[in-house]
Amino acid sequence: MSDFQKYIQRYLDQIPSEDWIGELKRSGEKTVEIYSAISEQQSIFAYAEGKWTLKELLLHLSDTERIFQYRILAFARGEKAELPGFDEENYAAASFANNRSLGSLLDEYKLIRRSSQILLETLEPSVLKNIGRANGNQLTVETIGKLIVGHNYHHLSIIEERYLPGLK
């Protein structure tokens, strides 16, 4: 197994059931539930020096999902050109998430998630096996859809383990 396969497998292993489209909805609902229960002040909490605030983490989820949506669309439509990668640390640093209201970040997340659901639920099943290249690696449309879910669950675990205990 390559390093890339190991990297993505850690996210795929986070998906709690085979129904990954259903888990897309459930992980989104869980994220909205957690963020709806915290205050504006709590949303700028980071559990350690140099770690993202809860706002930055939420915008990271939105940014990553947008990029994955584009990859899904491109590969589903047969794109042959390699798509670029992205540096999540640079994106977070340039996001100005902490200058925004928690409500606006949560609204954005909900819209992006709904857009992902519509995109994935309306693809012809045959295109789920389409393969494209992004950041030097080959991925299927289905794998990218699953990565949205696994990535979200990965960060929900971090929120529950490292952030929420610090808010009490």
Side-chain angles (χ1 to χ4, degrees):
M1 185 178 285
S2 73
D3 287 343
F4 177 71
Q5 289 168 323
K6 289 177 193 171
Y7 174 79
I8 65 168
Q9 193 61 49
R10 73 180 212 176
Y11 292 120
L12 299 179
D13 289 345
Q14 297 286 317
I15 305 171
S17 79
E18 293 296 315
D19 177 20
W20 63 273
I21 295 282
E23 295 297 344
L24 180 72
K25 185 172 190 234
R26 286 186 281 281
S27 63
E29 289 168 347
K30 177 79 172 169
T31 302
V32 170
E33 178 185 315
I34 288 173
Y35 274 92
S36 295
I38 64 174
S39 70
E40 190 71 36
Q41 184 61 37
Q42 289 172 320
S43 71
I44 57 171
F45 172 75
Y47 68 87
E49 183 73 29
K51 296 297 181 182
W52 294 337
T53 66
L54 282 162
K55 281 184 175 181
E56 289 168 327
L57 186 103
L58 183 57
L59 191 53
H60 163 70
L61 289 172
S62 294
D63 285 352
T64 302
E65 192 157 333
R66 270 195 171 111
I67 290 164
F68 286 176
Q69 280 179 355
Y70 174 66
R71 291 175 181 178
I72 288 167
L73 178 65
F75 299 164
R77 301 297 192 256
E79 181 63 62
K80 299 300 179 208
E82 179 166 350
L83 303 182
F86 72 104
D87 184 322
E88 64 185 28
E89 294 295 337
N90 287 343
Y91 274 52
S95 73
F96 301 100
N98 293 326
N99 296 344
R100 292 180 53 189
S101 73
L102 177 58
S104 77
L105 292 167
L106 196 51
D107 285 345
E108 180 177 1
Y109 173 84
K110 289 188 272 190
L111 286 168
I112 291 167
R113 177 51 55 99
R114 184 67 187 125
S115 176
S116 291
Q117 287 174 250
I118 293 167
L119 175 63
L120 289 162
E121 289 170 354
T122 59
L123 288 176
E124 286 296 319
S126 62
V127 304
L128 292 175
K129 301 300 179 205
N130 284 12
I131 297 172
R133 288 189 64 79
N135 198 27
N137 299 288
Q138 288 191 326
L139 291 159
T140 66
V141 169
E142 182 175 8
T143 298
I144 301 167
K146 289 178 177 178
L147 284 173
I148 291 172
V149 180
H151 178 257
N152 201 146
Y153 275 124
H154 164 77
H155 282 294
L156 283 171
S157 293
I158 291 172
I159 290 168
E160 290 173 340
E161 293 168 13
R162 300 180 189 166
Y163 286 86
L164 295 183
L167 296 180
K168 297 186 177 173

